[in-house]
Amino acid sequence: MIPRLVAALCLAAALTAPVAHAEDVVTVAVGQRPVAVAVNSVTGTVYVAARNAVAVVSGNVVVATVPLGGPLSDIAVDERTGRVYAANAVAGTVTVLGGDSTAVLGVIAAGPGMSTVDVDEEANAVYATGGPDGSVAVLDGVSNTLRETLPGEAGPLAGVRVDSGRQVAYFTGDQSRTVEVLDTAAGSFVASVPVGKAPAGLDLHEERNKVYVANSGTHHLSVLDGETRTEEAEILLPSAASSVAVHQGSGTVYTNGGPNGLARIDGSANEVTGELALGTNAGDVAVDQHTGTVYVLDPRQDALLAITGF
C-alpha cells in the first residue's frame, strides 16, 4: 500500500510543476494516423508506424516510407542488428525490416490480435502480445519465425517492456489492472503486480530497476520495484497518460500525461518537474538515449514532434 505521505507529496508536485520550455520543437509529417514511434539511439534513426506504412526519419527528415498495409499498431527496433519490427494487430503479423535498407526481410504470423512488440537484444528474440487470450508470441530474430506461444492468465495484455539483462519481460494487463512479469529464460509468468486502472505503456530504468507504468484510466504513473515486484509509489499527473519513455543516462521519465503535451519526471525523486504544452493530445513517446531528444506523436496532425532541451 502506498504511504499517505508519498501520495500527498506526489500530488503536490504534480499540481505545482513548473511550465517548462524546450529549446526547439520540430514538426515532421510522417503519414496518416501515426500510432507508435521507436528510436535506434546508435544510428539516430527514428521509425514511426503510421496507418499503413513505416516512416523512417533521420535528421528530422523523412528519408524513406515503407508501405506495409495496415493498420499498424506498434513498432520496435533492435539496436544491435538494426532490424525493425512492425506489428499489425488485424492481420496478427509482425513485419521485419532491415534497418539500413528498409527492405522487408520477412512477415511473421504471430497470432490473432498481436498488437504490441518489444525486443530482447541479448536473446535475439521479439515478444509480441495483445491477443484476446493474453498469450505471448516469442519470435526468432534470426530466422524471422515464430519460436513458441506462451499462454497467459491475466486476459488481454496491452504493453510490453523487455529487460534483457535480468531475463524478464513486463506486460500491462488492461482489464486485470496488473503488470504481469514473465521469466524469459523459463518461458513462464512468475508474478502479477497490481497497478492502476487501464495500464497501457510502460518503460524501465535499467540501472535502478524501476518500471514506470502509464495508467490510462486514471491520473497517475505507477512506479514498480523490479527486485521486489511491488508498486512502491504513485506519481500523480495533470491528466491520464498512455505512454512513457525513460532516458537511461539521467533517469528522467517522459510521459504524455500533461494537458495538451508532455510531463517530465525526476525518476529518483518520483516528482513531476516540468510540463511542456504542445497544443495537442500527445500520442506515443520515445527518447534518443544518445542525444536526449524526445519524440512524441501528434496523431491529429499526422506528425512527429522532435523536442530538444526539455
Side-chain angles (χ1 to χ4, degrees), residues 94-105:
V94 175
T95 299
V96 187
L97 303 178
D100 295 331
S101 65
T102 66
V104 175
L105 304 180

Side-chain angles (χ1 to χ4, degrees), residues 33-58:
R33 301 177 188 175
V35 294
V37 56
V39 183
N40 186 331
S41 299
V42 175
T43 64
T45 308
V46 183
Y47 301 90
V48 177
R51 181 181 180 182
N52 55 10
V54 171
V56 184
V57 180
S58 179

